[in-house]
Amino acid sequence: MKKTSTRLADGRELVYYDARDDVVRHAVDHRPLAPVTTTSEIRRDPLLGDSVAIASHRQGRTYHPPVDACPLCPSRDGHRGEIPDSDYDVVVFENRFPSLAGDAGRCEVVCFTSDHDASFADLSEERAALVLDVWTDRTAELAELPQVEQVFCFENRGTEIGVTLAHPHGQIYAYPFVTPRTERMRHSVAEHRTATGRNLFDDLVRRERAEGDRVVLAGEHWTAFVPYAAHWPYEVHLYPTRRVPDLRALDEAARTEFPRIYLELLRRFDRIFGDAGTPTPYIAAWHQAPLRDRRREDFALHLELFTVRRTSGKLKYLAGSESGMSVFINDVPPEAAARRLREVASA
């Protein structure tokens, strides 16, 4: 992997990641951009104890532009976007409209391919491996920032999720705090360790592999399953066989197998509803250990993949119980969801 760092016209960092070492990146961003100004502020809720990012500058962010004005497409044929070069493999840049900035953290955009009409599931295994290397490299880079406590790599796909740019891309949030979801996991892990002397993540994966009826896909180094108490109609958790705290700690065997497993999962998600030409909206979220947790080795890196679609043409809305009280009601039994995801395996 070759890494080339440059600056956009407004001073934001952009990094090209190329599979070939002989690629030269020297394109310059000539857009007349003013320096980015943000109003990001972190406020803590005294009742719930969680943090909220206040970012009013995001009201003016790009919203469903036409294809010929896509800011994530390469700059060519008269079009000038966020990526100055005329083509790219994978590119990462600081978000122009970040939720987190400065002492409040950092937000980055990850473009998986220059092909506007593709999706992650369309990538080759070699390109998916490069993306994994990019997520790992960004985790390592952002971990060095003194204000960052946790690094979150994720992808939102589909307008139903709220995506405003159709080009295949993901994001990375570098939080200046530990997220509420991770705090709850850490609490559960600590309680389980006290009660049993064992690791909760290890016990969960062991149980799923033993029972088998919720396992969707299993390799030598990764296991994908629908969790016993899935919140979403179709939700899959993907764990490496060897527990590690973050992407940086994956061994070469796990890194080599990941593209095949993950691409197959994404392709099954696109087939579960049988809607030809209607991609399944989803969120893919990497959970990594907080950077300065003294018990971070007890945390297990894993990816959670889920869709807001509950059946063909129908969405799972977060209504009163979910939004008001955080109590999810799932219409699809996890065992049935896992069975369906096994049925649509690639031939």
Coordinates of all heavy atoms in Angstrom, one line a residue, residues 110 112 119-121 131 135 151-158 161 163 169-173 175 181 232 234-238 247 258 261-263 265-267 269 280-288 301-308:
V110 N -14.1 8.4 3.9 CA -13.4 7.4 3.2 C -14.1 7.0 1.9 O -15.2 6.5 2.0 CB -13.2 6.1 4.1 CG1 -12.3 5.1 3.4 CG2 -12.6 6.5 5.5
F112 N -14.3 4.6 -1.1 CA -13.8 3.2 -1.4 C -13.4 3.0 -2.8 O -12.7 2.0 -3.1 CB -14.9 2.2 -1.0 CG -15.5 2.3 0.4 CD1 -16.9 2.3 0.6 CD2 -14.7 2.4 1.5 CE1 -17.4 2.4 1.9 CE2 -15.2 2.5 2.7 CZ -16.5 2.6 2.9
S119 N -20.8 -0.1 -5.3 CA -21.1 -0.2 -3.8 C -19.9 -1.0 -3.2 O -19.1 -1.6 -4.0 CB -22.4 -0.9 -3.5 OG -22.4 -2.2 -3.8
F120 N -19.8 -1.1 -1.9 CA -18.8 -1.9 -1.3 C -18.8 -3.3 -1.8 O -17.8 -4.0 -2.0 CB -18.8 -1.8 0.2 CG -17.6 -2.1 0.9 CD1 -16.9 -1.1 1.7 CD2 -17.0 -3.3 0.8 CE1 -15.7 -1.4 2.3 CE2 -15.8 -3.7 1.5 CZ -15.1 -2.7 2.2
A121 N -20.0 -3.8 -1.9 CA -20.2 -5.2 -2.3 C -19.7 -5.5 -3.7 O -19.4 -6.7 -4.1 CB -21.7 -5.6 -2.2
V131 N -9.1 -1.4 1.7 CA -9.9 -0.6 2.6 C -9.7 -1.0 4.0 O -9.6 -0.1 4.9 CB -11.4 -0.8 2.2 CG1 -12.3 0.0 3.2 CG2 -11.7 -0.2 0.8
W135 N -8.6 1.5 7.0 CA -9.2 1.7 8.3 C -8.2 1.5 9.4 O -8.2 2.2 10.4 CB -10.3 0.6 8.4 CG -11.6 0.9 7.7 CD1 -12.1 2.1 7.4 CD2 -12.5 -0.1 7.2 NE1 -13.3 1.9 6.7 CE2 -13.5 0.5 6.6 CE3 -12.5 -1.5 7.2 CZ2 -14.6 -0.1 6.0 CZ3 -13.5 -2.2 6.6 CH2 -14.6 -1.5 6.0
V151 N -11.9 5.6 18.2 CA -11.9 5.7 16.8 C -13.0 4.8 16.3 O -13.1 3.6 16.6 CB -10.6 5.3 16.1 CG1 -10.7 5.5 14.6 CG2 -9.5 6.3 16.7
F152 N -13.9 5.3 15.5 CA -15.1 4.6 15.0 C -15.1 4.7 13.4 O -15.3 5.8 12.9 CB -16.4 5.3 15.6 CG -17.7 4.7 15.0 CD1 -17.9 3.3 15.0 CD2 -18.7 5.6 14.7 CE1 -19.1 2.8 14.5 CE2 -19.9 5.1 14.2 CZ -20.1 3.7 14.1
C153 N -14.9 3.6 12.8 CA -15.0 3.5 11.3 C -16.3 2.9 11.0 O -16.7 1.9 11.5 CB -13.9 2.5 10.8 SG -12.2 2.9 11.3
F154 N -17.0 3.5 10.0 CA -18.4 3.0 9.7 C -18.8 3.4 8.3 O -18.2 4.3 7.6 CB -19.4 3.5 10.7 CG -19.6 5.0 10.7 CD1 -20.7 5.6 10.0 CD2 -18.7 5.9 11.3 CE1 -20.9 7.0 10.0 CE2 -18.9 7.3 11.3 CZ -20.0 7.8 10.7
E155 N -19.8 2.7 7.8 CA -20.4 3.1 6.5 C -21.9 3.1 6.6 O -22.5 2.2 7.2 CB -20.1 2.0 5.4 CG -20.7 2.4 4.1 CD -20.6 1.2 3.0 OE1 -20.1 0.1 3.4 OE2 -21.1 1.4 1.9
N156 N -22.5 4.2 6.1 CA -24.0 4.3 6.0 C -24.3 4.1 4.5 O -23.6 4.8 3.6 CB -24.5 5.6 6.4 CG -24.2 5.9 7.9 OD1 -24.1 5.0 8.7 ND2 -24.2 7.2 8.2
R157 N -25.2 3.2 4.1 CA -25.5 3.0 2.7 C -27.0 3.2 2.5 O -27.8 2.5 3.2 CB -25.0 1.7 2.2 CG -24.8 1.5 0.7 CD -26.1 1.2 0.0 NE -26.4 -0.2 0.2 CZ -26.0 -1.2 -0.6 NH1 -25.3 -1.0 -1.6 NH2 -26.5 -2.5 -0.4
G158 N -27.5 4.0 1.6 CA -28.9 4.1 1.3 C -29.5 5.4 1.8 O -29.3 5.9 2.9
I161 N -31.3 5.4 5.2 CA -30.4 5.5 6.4 C -30.2 7.0 6.6 O -29.9 7.4 7.7 CB -29.1 4.9 6.2 CG1 -29.2 3.3 6.0 CG2 -28.1 5.2 7.3 CD1 -29.7 2.6 7.3
V163 N -28.4 8.9 4.1 CA -27.2 9.2 3.3 C -27.5 10.3 2.3 O -28.5 10.2 1.6 CB -26.7 8.0 2.5 CG1 -25.5 8.4 1.6 CG2 -26.2 6.9 3.5
H169 N -19.0 5.4 0.0 CA -18.1 6.0 0.9 C -18.5 5.7 2.4 O -19.6 5.2 2.6 CB -18.0 7.5 0.8 CG -19.2 8.3 1.3 ND1 -20.4 8.2 0.6 CD2 -19.4 9.0 2.4 CE1 -21.3 8.9 1.3 NE2 -20.7 9.4 2.4
G170 N -17.5 5.8 3.2 CA -17.8 5.6 4.7 C -17.2 6.8 5.4 O -16.7 7.8 4.8
Q171 N -17.2 6.7 6.7 CA -16.7 7.8 7.5 C -15.9 7.3 8.7 O -16.0 6.1 9.0 CB -17.8 8.7 8.0 CG -18.6 9.4 7.0 CD -19.7 10.3 7.5 OE1 -19.3 11.4 8.1 NE2 -20.9 10.0 7.3
I172 N -15.1 8.1 9.3 CA -14.4 7.8 10.5 C -14.6 8.9 11.5 O -14.3 10.1 11.2 CB -12.9 7.5 10.3 CG1 -12.7 6.4 9.3 CG2 -12.2 7.2 11.6 CD1 -11.2 6.2 8.9
Y173 N -15.1 8.6 12.7 CA -15.2 9.6 13.7 C -14.1 9.3 14.8 O -14.0 8.2 15.3 CB -16.6 9.5 14.4 CG -17.7 10.3 13.6 CD1 -17.6 10.6 12.3 CD2 -18.9 10.6 14.3 CE1 -18.6 11.3 11.6 CE2 -19.9 11.3 13.6 CZ -19.7 11.7 12.3 OH -20.7 12.3 11.7
Y175 N -13.6 10.3 18.4 CA -14.3 10.9 19.5 C -13.4 11.4 20.6 O -12.4 10.7 20.9 CB -15.3 10.0 20.1 CG -16.5 9.5 19.2 CD1 -16.5 8.2 18.7 CD2 -17.5 10.4 18.9 CE1 -17.5 7.8 17.9 CE2 -18.6 9.9 18.1 CZ -18.6 8.7 17.6 OH -19.6 8.2 16.8
R181 N -22.5 3.6 23.9 CA -22.7 2.2 23.6 C -21.4 1.3 24.1 O -21.6 0.2 24.6 CB -22.9 2.0 22.1 CG -23.3 0.6 21.7 CD -23.6 0.6 20.2 NE -24.0 -0.7 19.7 CZ -25.2 -1.2 19.8 NH1 -26.2 -0.5 20.3 NH2 -25.4 -2.4 19.3
W232 N -32.4 -5.3 15.5 CA -32.9 -5.0 14.1 C -33.3 -6.3 13.4 O -32.8 -7.3 13.7 CB -31.8 -4.3 13.3 CG -31.4 -3.0 13.9 CD1 -30.3 -2.8 14.8 CD2 -32.0 -1.7 13.7 NE1 -30.3 -1.5 15.1 CE2 -31.2 -0.8 14.5 CE3 -33.0 -1.3 12.9 CZ2 -31.6 0.6 14.5 CZ3 -33.4 0.1 13.0 CH2 -32.6 1.0 13.8
Y234 N -32.8 -7.6 10.5 CA -31.6 -8.3 10.0 C -30.3 -7.6 10.5 O -30.0 -6.5 10.0 CB -31.7 -8.3 8.4 CG -32.8 -9.2 7.9 CD1 -34.1 -8.7 7.7 CD2 -32.5 -10.5 7.7 CE1 -35.1 -9.5 7.3 CE2 -33.6 -11.4 7.3 CZ -34.8 -10.9 7.1 OH -35.8 -11.7 6.7
E235 N -29.7 -8.3 11.4 CA -28.5 -7.7 12.0 C -27.5 -8.8 12.2 O -27.8 -9.9 12.7 CB -28.9 -7.2 13.4 CG -27.8 -6.7 14.3 CD -28.3 -6.2 15.7 OE1 -29.5 -6.0 15.8 OE2 -27.4 -6.1 16.6
V236 N -26.3 -8.6 11.8 CA -25.2 -9.6 11.8 C -24.0 -9.0 12.5 O -23.6 -7.8 12.3 CB -24.8 -10.1 10.4 CG1 -23.6 -11.0 10.5 CG2 -25.9 -10.8 9.7
H237 N -23.4 -9.7 13.4 CA -22.2 -9.3 14.1 C -21.0 -10.2 13.6 O -21.2 -11.4 13.5 CB -22.3 -9.5 15.6 CG -23.3 -8.5 16.2 ND1 -23.4 -8.3 17.6 CD2 -24.2 -7.7 15.6 CE1 -24.3 -7.4 17.8 NE2 -24.8 -7.0 16.7
L238 N -19.9 -9.6 13.3 CA -18.8 -10.3 12.7 C -17.6 -10.2 13.6 O -17.1 -9.0 13.9 CB -18.4 -9.7 11.3 CG -17.2 -10.3 10.6 CD1 -17.4 -11.8 10.3 CD2 -17.0 -9.5 9.3
L247 N -8.5 -2.8 15.2 CA -8.0 -3.2 13.9 C -6.5 -3.4 13.8 O -6.0 -4.3 13.0 CB -8.5 -2.2 12.8 CG -10.0 -2.2 12.6 CD1 -10.4 -0.9 11.9 CD2 -10.4 -3.4 11.7
F258 N -10.6 -11.8 5.8 CA -11.7 -10.8 5.9 C -12.4 -10.4 4.6 O -13.6 -10.4 4.6 CB -11.2 -9.5 6.6 CG -12.2 -8.4 6.7 CD1 -13.2 -8.4 7.6 CD2 -12.1 -7.4 5.8 CE1 -14.1 -7.4 7.6 CE2 -13.1 -6.4 5.8 CZ -14.1 -6.4 6.7
I261 N -15.1 -13.0 3.5 CA -16.2 -13.1 4.4 C -17.1 -11.9 4.3 O -18.3 -12.0 4.2 CB -15.7 -13.3 5.9 CG1 -14.9 -14.6 6.0 CG2 -16.8 -13.3 6.9 CD1 -15.7 -15.8 5.9
Y262 N -16.5 -10.7 4.4 CA -17.3 -9.5 4.5 C -18.0 -9.2 3.2 O -19.2 -8.8 3.2 CB -16.3 -8.3 4.8 CG -17.1 -7.0 5.1 CD1 -18.2 -7.0 5.9 CD2 -16.7 -5.8 4.5 CE1 -18.9 -5.8 6.2 CE2 -17.4 -4.6 4.7 CZ -18.5 -4.6 5.6 OH -19.2 -3.5 5.8
L263 N -17.3 -9.4 2.0 CA -18.0 -9.2 0.8 C -19.2 -10.1 0.6 O -20.3 -9.7 0.1 CB -17.0 -9.3 -0.4 CG -16.0 -8.2 -0.5 CD1 -14.9 -8.6 -1.6 CD2 -16.6 -6.9 -0.8
L265 N -21.0 -11.3 3.0 CA -22.1 -10.8 3.9 C -22.9 -9.7 3.2 O -24.1 -9.7 3.2 CB -21.5 -10.3 5.2 CG -21.3 -11.4 6.3 CD1 -20.7 -10.7 7.5 CD2 -22.5 -12.1 6.7
L266 N -22.1 -8.7 2.6 CA -22.8 -7.6 2.0 C -23.6 -8.0 0.8 O -24.7 -7.5 0.6 CB -21.7 -6.6 1.5 CG -21.0 -5.9 2.7 CD1 -20.0 -4.9 2.1 CD2 -21.9 -5.1 3.6
R267 N -23.1 -9.0 0.0 CA -23.9 -9.5 -1.1 C -25.1 -10.2 -0.7 O -26.2 -10.1 -1.4 CB -23.0 -10.3 -2.0 CG -21.9 -9.5 -2.7 CD -20.7 -10.3 -3.2 NE -19.7 -9.4 -3.7 CZ -18.4 -9.8 -4.0 NH1 -18.1 -11.1 -3.8 NH2 -17.6 -8.9 -4.5
F269 N -26.8 -9.5 2.0 CA -27.7 -8.4 2.4 C -28.5 -7.8 1.2 O -29.7 -7.5 1.3 CB -27.0 -7.3 3.2 CG -27.1 -7.3 4.7 CD1 -26.7 -8.5 5.4 CD2 -27.7 -6.3 5.4 CE1 -26.9 -8.5 6.7 CE2 -27.8 -6.3 6.7 CZ -27.4 -7.5 7.4
T280 N -30.0 -3.0 -0.5 CA -30.5 -3.0 0.8 C -29.8 -1.8 1.6 O -28.5 -1.8 1.6 CB -30.2 -4.3 1.5 OG1 -30.9 -5.3 0.9 CG2 -30.6 -4.3 3.0
P281 N -30.5 -0.9 2.2 CA -29.8 0.1 3.0 C -29.2 -0.5 4.3 O -29.8 -1.5 4.8 CB -31.0 1.1 3.4 CG -32.2 0.2 3.4 CD -32.0 -0.8 2.3
Y282 N -28.1 -0.1 4.7 CA -27.5 -0.7 5.9 C -26.5 0.3 6.6 O -26.1 1.3 6.0 CB -26.7 -2.0 5.5 CG -25.5 -1.8 4.6 CD1 -24.3 -1.3 5.1 CD2 -25.6 -2.3 3.3 CE1 -23.2 -1.2 4.3 CE2 -24.4 -2.1 2.5 CZ -23.3 -1.6 3.0 OH -22.2 -1.5 2.2
I283 N -26.2 -0.1 7.8 CA -25.1 0.6 8.5 C -24.1 -0.5 8.9 O -24.5 -1.6 9.4 CB -25.6 1.3 9.8 CG1 -26.4 2.5 9.4 CG2 -24.4 1.7 10.7 CD1 -27.1 3.2 10.6
A284 N -22.8 -0.3 8.6 CA -21.7 -1.2 9.0 C -20.8 -0.5 10.0 O -20.3 0.6 9.6 CB -21.0 -1.7 7.8
A285 N -20.7 -1.0 11.2 CA -20.0 -0.2 12.2 C -19.0 -1.1 12.9 O -19.3 -2.1 13.5 CB -21.1 0.2 13.3
W286 N -17.7 -0.6 12.9 CA -16.6 -1.2 13.6 C -16.6 -0.8 15.1 O -16.6 0.4 15.3 CB -15.3 -0.9 13.0 CG -15.0 -1.7 11.7 CD1 -14.9 -1.2 10.5 CD2 -14.6 -3.0 11.7 NE1 -14.5 -2.2 9.6 CE2 -14.3 -3.4 10.3 CE3 -14.4 -4.0 12.6 CZ2 -13.9 -4.6 9.9 CZ3 -14.0 -5.3 12.2 CH2 -13.7 -5.6 10.9
H287 N -16.6 -1.7 16.0 CA -16.5 -1.4 17.4 C -15.0 -1.7 17.8 O -14.6 -2.9 17.8 CB -17.5 -2.2 18.2 CG -18.9 -1.8 18.0 ND1 -19.5 -0.8 18.8 CD2 -19.8 -2.1 17.0 CE1 -20.8 -0.7 18.3 NE2 -20.9 -1.4 17.3
Q288 N -14.3 -0.7 18.3 CA -12.9 -0.8 18.7 C -12.8 -0.4 20.2 O -13.6 0.5 20.6 CB -12.0 0.0 17.9 CG -12.1 -0.3 16.4 CD -10.9 0.2 15.6 OE1 -9.8 -0.3 15.6 NE2 -11.1 1.4 14.9
L301 N -12.7 -6.5 19.3 CA -13.0 -5.8 18.0 C -14.1 -6.6 17.3 O -14.1 -7.9 17.3 CB -11.8 -5.9 17.1 CG -12.0 -5.5 15.6 CD1 -12.2 -4.0 15.5 CD2 -10.8 -6.0 14.8
H302 N -15.1 -5.9 16.8 CA -16.2 -6.6 16.0 C -16.9 -5.6 15.1 O -16.8 -4.4 15.4 CB -17.1 -7.4 16.9 CG -18.0 -6.5 17.8 ND1 -17.4 -6.0 19.0 CD2 -19.3 -6.2 17.8 CE1 -18.4 -5.3 19.6 NE2 -19.5 -5.4 18.9
L303 N -17.5 -6.1 14.1 CA -18.3 -5.3 13.2 C -19.8 -5.6 13.3 O -20.1 -6.8 13.3 CB -17.8 -5.5 11.7 CG -18.5 -4.6 10.7 CD1 -17.4 -4.1 9.7 CD2 -19.6 -5.3 10.0
E304 N -20.6 -4.6 13.4 CA -22.1 -4.8 13.4 C -22.6 -4.3 12.1 O -22.4 -3.2 11.7 CB -22.7 -4.1 14.6 CG -22.2 -4.7 15.9 CD -22.9 -4.1 17.1 OE1 -23.9 -3.3 17.0 OE2 -22.5 -4.4 18.3
L305 N -23.4 -5.2 11.4 CA -24.0 -4.8 10.1 C -25.5 -5.0 10.3 O -25.9 -6.1 10.7 CB -23.4 -5.8 9.0 CG -24.1 -5.7 7.7 CD1 -23.8 -4.4 7.0 CD2 -23.5 -6.9 6.8
F306 N -26.3 -4.0 10.0 CA -27.7 -4.1 10.1 C -28.4 -3.2 9.1 O -27.9 -2.2 8.6 CB -28.2 -3.8 11.5 CG -27.9 -2.4 12.0 CD1 -28.8 -1.4 11.8 CD2 -26.7 -2.1 12.7 CE1 -28.6 -0.1 12.3 CE2 -26.4 -0.9 13.1 CZ -27.4 0.2 12.9
T307 N -29.7 -3.6 8.8 CA -30.5 -2.8 7.9 C -31.7 -2.3 8.6 O -32.2 -2.9 9.5 CB -30.9 -3.6 6.7 OG1 -31.7 -2.8 5.8 CG2 -31.6 -4.9 7.1
V308 N -32.2 -1.1 8.1 CA -33.5 -0.6 8.7 C -34.7 -1.1 7.9 O -35.8 -0.8 8.2 CB -33.5 0.9 8.6 CG1 -32.4 1.5 9.5 CG2 -33.4 1.4 7.2

